[in-house]
Amino acid sequence: MNKINKLKIIKNQALTDEIHLLSLKVSDPLEAKPGQFFLLKMNERYDPLLGRPLSIFDLEGDKISFLFRVKGKGTKILSKLSLGEEIQITGPFGRWYPFPQGEFAVIAGGIGIASVFYLIKKFPERAYLFYGARNLSEILFYEELKNLCKEVFISTECGRGEYKGVVTETFREKGLKLNLPIYACGPMIMIKELRKILEENQSNLQCFVAVEERMACGLGACLGCVIETTEGFKRVCTEGPVFKIDELKL
Amino acid sequence: MKPNTEVKVGKLILKNPVVTASGTFGYGLEYSQFFDLSLLGAIVIKGLSINPKEGNPPPRIYETPCGMLNSIGLQNIGYSYFVKEKLPFLKRFDTKIIVNFFGENLREYIELAERLNDTDGVHALEMNVSCPNKNSHWRKMGLIPELLKEAVREVRKVTDKTLIIKLSPQVTDIAEMAKICEDEGADAISLINTVPAMVIDIKTRRSVIGNPVGGLSGPAIRPIALRMVWEASKVVQIPIIGIGGIITAEDALQFLIAGAKAVAVGTANFINPLSAMEVIKGIENFLITEGIKDINDLIGTVTD
Ligand SMILES: Cc1cc2nc3c(=O)[nH]c(=O)nc-3n(C[C@H](O)[C@H](O)[C@H](O)COP(=O)(O)OP(=O)(O)OC[C@H]3O[C@@H](n4cnc5c(N)ncnc54)[C@H](O)[C@@H]3O)c2cc1C
Ligand SMILES: Cc1cc2nc3c(=O)[nH]c(=O)nc-3n(C[C@H](O)[C@H](O)[C@H](O)COP(=O)(O)O)c2cc1C
Ligand code: FES
């Protein structure tokens, strides 16, 4: 059941210049699955008007967390809210990542880690994580992830870290041969690369990706968030945000 | 004592004057998880056409100061699917179902109105005069008085259900358009639809949405909408449904005082799924604190 909750901020911490970790105190019991998202309305003003979609990053006990990059007006305001202030969150919305049966591979590009962290946490010691960012300082929760995953492969574009270059290249080298179902979230260019790699290798591995589109209602009513798929337009908020990679028109 | 909130729109009696704006409430189902839809005065369904319509390419929405731009392109599931898959669910609620509809040309408008007239469970028709077909001169039926006149006249002939005409704000004189609807036998008018508007990305030098132009909605358009409702209410006797940027009961009350018999809550549903319900409650509270026994005593009481 989707709900509207007004929750108190118990943590709003800058992890880097751009990335914040926001934790809220859950009052009524809240259930959400990895890959789902909430709409966060920062304040009661009309500008910004709409809620901002953020993936559930973590949910434990009476604490729900979101990891977000400051991008524009809305996330900037969000990053400046103080402890004790309340915000409205609506959700959870959307299709979650199908639960992995055994071991699985995860590919996260940049802030894409926000969407897959909870999946990794829910299924500990089963994930092979390929995690890439522009530079090492943007690789977040490294220690925690190392403990939760079977193995972690870090790629940075600047070259520090284990692998130099984009995360999909590391996956091509080390990940394909694992022969595991893939869960991926990252920028569109990463998703495109991933699909290319899968096609070039004639791989028929199951591959689930979480995608983004601008949203208004978040619940399937406004038809504002559609993307093109092989079966026509689909709503990211309800038929997604998790899609099979071969469904997408990239 | 609970004040009377019942209002009459054409042949419909609404238990309260609050309805949902077409396209912002899906097919009702989406919001039924948040509150009991029977509380609503009526549900206005997403714009329907005879055949399913795919709509415009993404991106389809963009936020603007106190508003939003959309170019959904009237995507919908088509008449048959609606009747088979959505209507049975809607019939379970104790509220009125108003179907917003459009066609690619006048013939399609007439045909769909005929079918809706014969469809059990549809209580009223809301004709969206914003015809999307770029190749038909009927595209301008919402803008040109002569075309509007003919369109309303022809559609009126095929239905005896309550016929509401949903007007575009993109006209020189809204009062004239409203009067035409009344003269041609419409039971009510609703206004306004979204305001054609544009935002450009200066880096790509393109529109920020899939179409160059989209429709602006939300609080940004409310004062414009209110002014238009007021102007129209001075020249027509038929009920007006006021629409545009209504978020709170106070917003809604302004429209009622200006002369609207009912109001529709649109973009607000996106911000808070309970908006329509909260507007209903707020109106009731206002009536109580102001000692107004019947909402009809408030409607149109603005003084110049
Ligand atoms: C299902 C889903 C889950 C997401 N999860 C996360 C997450 O966990 N962490 C995170 O940092 N980001 C996430 N995003 C992206 C995040 O929603 C945007 O970065 C954010 O909305 C930007 O808002 P803004 O006001 O700061 O930016 P502005 O550019 O000022 O926003 C203007 C409008 O565009 C929308 N918008 C802008 N960028 C995006 C985008 N990439 N995707 C969707 N809408 C956008 C905004 O919501 C707003 O309506 C997610 C997006 C979706 C669709
Ligand atoms: C996403 C969206 C879809 C809409 N679809 C329709 C539609 O199908 N038919 C119609 O007559 N109006 C449609 N409208 C217009 C609304 O019903 C309403 O007239 C307008 O949004 C102004 O009200 P608001 O500011 O409260 O949203 C749509 C508006 C939005 C925002
Ligand atoms: S955001 Fe409204 S349909 Fe997806």
Side-chain angles (χ1 to χ4, degrees):
Chain A
M1 183 80 175
N2 298 326
K3 278 201 257 168
I4 307 163
N5 280 296
K6 276 226 154 90
L7 303 182
K8 260 205 177 75
I9 298 177
I10 49 179
K11 183 181 202 168
N12 193 358
Q13 182 190 359
L15 301 180
T16 73
D17 287 350
E18 287 179 6
I19 299 173
H20 277 244
L21 179 66
L22 175 79
S23 301
L24 310 171
K25 187 162 165 62
V26 174
S27 31
D28 292 335
L30 198 71
E31 242 184 82
K33 301 199 174 72
Q36 288 192 299
F37 67 94
F38 287 81
L39 286 182
L40 281 76
K41 177 86 177 97
M42 282 71 65
N43 53 38
E44 302 205 336
R45 275 179 244 137
Y46 298 159
D47 192 10
L49 184 70
L50 303 166
R52 300 303 194 245
L54 291 181
S55 312
I56 163 152
F57 174 70
D58 197 6
L59 175 60
E60 204 180 316
D62 60 355
K63 187 172 89 175
I64 184 165
S65 303
F66 300 94
L67 184 74
F68 67 94
R69 180 187 291 278
V70 176
K71 206 187 145 214
K73 195 150 63 177
T75 46
K76 181 148 195 192
I77 293 173
L78 197 57
S79 73
K80 295 202 165 139
L81 294 181
S82 318
L83 300 190
E85 285 191 75
E86 285 192 340
I87 59 171
Q88 173 190 300
I89 76 166
T90 314
F93 293 125
R95 293 215 179 149
W96 50 88
Y97 293 109
F99 291 170
Q101 295 310 312
E103 296 183 333
F104 56 104
V106 178
I107 305 174
I111 194 68
I113 196 71
S115 158
V116 291
F117 183 87
Y118 192 42
L119 177 76
I120 293 169
K121 190 170 165 180
K122 278 253 161 182
F123 301 95
E125 287 171 55
R126 279 160 59 174
Y128 290 81
L129 171 64
F130 296 83
Y131 183 10
R134 277 175 297 192
N135 51 56
L136 214 48
S137 66
E138 291 199 354
I139 297 289
L140 303 168
F141 301 96
Y142 179 68
E143 289 305 324
E144 222 169 325
L145 285 164
K146 248 185 103 161
N147 285 330
L148 287 168
C149 294
K150 272 222 106 105
E151 215 169 323
V152 179
F153 304 82
I154 301 290
S155 320
T156 58
E157 281 161 46
C158 69
R160 286 188 306 180
E162 289 162 278
Y163 300 93
K164 179 172 162 58
V166 291
V167 64
T168 38
E169 279 314 304
T170 314
F171 178 78
R172 186 206 297 270
E173 249 175 69
K174 304 274 171 190
L176 264 182
K177 61 184 176 215
L178 294 171
N179 242 334
L180 295 173
I182 303 161
Y183 296 80
C185 186
M188 221 39 189
I189 183 159
M190 180 192 106
I191 305 295
K192 280 188 190 160
E193 263 306 302
L194 178 59
R195 170 127 118 202
K196 214 171 93 197
I197 291 170
L198 292 175
E199 277 169 3
E200 279 169 11
N201 290 277
Q202 290 166 359
S203 163
N204 52 10
L205 291 175
Q206 278 203 313
C207 179
F208 305 101
V209 297
V211 301
E212 296 179 351
E213 187 50 82
R214 289 186 212 135
M215 291 183 178
C217 69
L219 45 83
C222 74
L223 308 177
C225 65
V226 301
I227 52 158
E228 265 195 285
T229 74
T230 48
E231 293 163 37
F233 292 137
K234 284 195 177 175
R235 293 164 299 183
V236 171
C237 69
T238 32
E239 278 115 344
V242 176
F243 290 92
K244 286 191 186 135
I245 199 167
D246 25 67
E247 255 183 289
L248 302 175
K249 279 209 171 148
L250 298 173
Chain B
M1 216 183 67
K2 197 173 171 305
N4 173 53
T5 54
E6 243 177 49
V7 295
K8 204 160 172 253
V9 174
K11 300 171 195 80
L12 292 189
I13 295 184
L14 309 182
K15 61 174 77 165
N16 64 60
V18 181
V19 310
T20 59
S22 176
T24 65
F25 208 68
Y27 298 99
L29 173 78
E30 297 83 351
Y31 285 88
S32 63
Q33 54 186 325
F34 290 101
F35 69 97
D36 178 8
L37 303 184
S38 297
L39 292 168
L40 293 166
I43 297 171
V44 184
I45 302 304
K46 169 74 190 160
L48 194 68
S49 46
I50 294 177
N51 298 311
K53 196 169 162 70
E54 224 200 352
N56 289 334
R60 288 179 171 182
I61 48 184
Y62 190 82
E63 190 176 294
T64 61
C66 301
M68 64 176 276
L69 207 56
N70 89 76
S71 71
I72 309 298
L74 295 172
Q75 177 182 340
N76 78 93
I77 54 178
Y79 172 82
S80 305
Y81 193 84
F82 168 72
V83 171
K84 200 161 139 264
E85 301 294 332
K86 304 288 179 185
L87 199 51
F89 171 81
L90 288 165
K91 282 184 187 165
R92 305 212 306 248
F93 296 97
D94 174 27
T95 185
K96 300 289 189 269
I97 304 301
I98 302 175
V99 174
N100 179 284
F101 73 102
F102 69 94
E104 299 291 329
N105 50 50
L106 184 55
R107 198 175 33 76
E108 281 193 18
Y109 271 90
I110 296 167
E111 189 185 331
L112 185 50
E114 255 176 331
R115 289 209 215 170
L116 289 168
N117 187 59
D118 298 337
T119 307
D120 190 41
V122 172
H123 300 110
L125 282 60
E126 184 182 62
M127 173 173 165
N128 178 1
V129 296
S130 306
C131 167
N133 186 350
K134 290 192 181 74
N135 303 316
S136 165
H137 74 289
W138 290 109
R139 183 174 176 79
K140 298 217 165 113
M141 71 162 74
L143 318 182
I144 298 175
E146 292 70 31
L147 290 179
L148 181 70
K149 198 179 179 72
E150 187 177 345
V152 176
R153 178 182 299 163
E154 294 305 315
V155 171
R156 176 74 281 181
K157 283 183 191 158
V158 299
T159 177
D160 41 31
K161 284 184 178 167
T162 296
L163 176 64
I164 306 161
I165 313 299
K166 175 139 179 204
L167 295 176
S168 161
Q170 210 188 352
V171 295
T172 320
D173 184 359
I174 195 72
E176 182 191 358
M177 302 305 261
K179 191 79 179 74
I180 287 171
C181 296
E182 181 171 65
D183 291 346
E184 295 306 325
D187 295 297
I189 49 177
S190 52
L191 56 135
I192 57 175
N193 210 320
T194 53
V195 180
M198 199 172 181
V199 176
I200 290 172
D201 178 332
I202 58 167
K203 291 268 171 56
T204 62
R205 303 189 197 177
R206 285 164 160 269
S207 165
V208 294
I209 50 174
N211 252 21
V213 171
L216 187 64
S217 66
I221 67 168
R222 190 198 312 129
I224 301 173
L226 186 67
R227 185 265 300 170
M228 289 188 145
V229 166
W230 177 72
E231 281 178 356
S233 79
K234 292 210 283 193
V235 302
V236 296
Q237 304 304 313
I238 53 174
I240 298 171
I241 302 175
I243 319 173
I246 295 172
I247 300 208
T248 65
E250 187 189 331
D251 305 338
L253 285 159
Q254 288 192 47
F255 279 84
L256 297 172
I257 292 168
K261 199 75 173 283
V263 291
V265 174
T267 300
N269 296 308
F270 305 154
I271 306 162
N272 171 8
L274 302 179
S275 290
M277 207 183 68
E278 289 173 6
V279 169
I280 295 169
K281 273 199 207 133
I283 291 176
E284 241 182 73
N285 289 342
F286 178 81
L287 295 178
I288 293 169
T289 44
E290 294 288 308
I292 301 168
K293 293 192 189 67
D294 185 336
I295 193 156
N296 292 287
D297 295 340
L298 180 72
I299 289 165
T301 52
V302 65
T303 46
D304 289 356

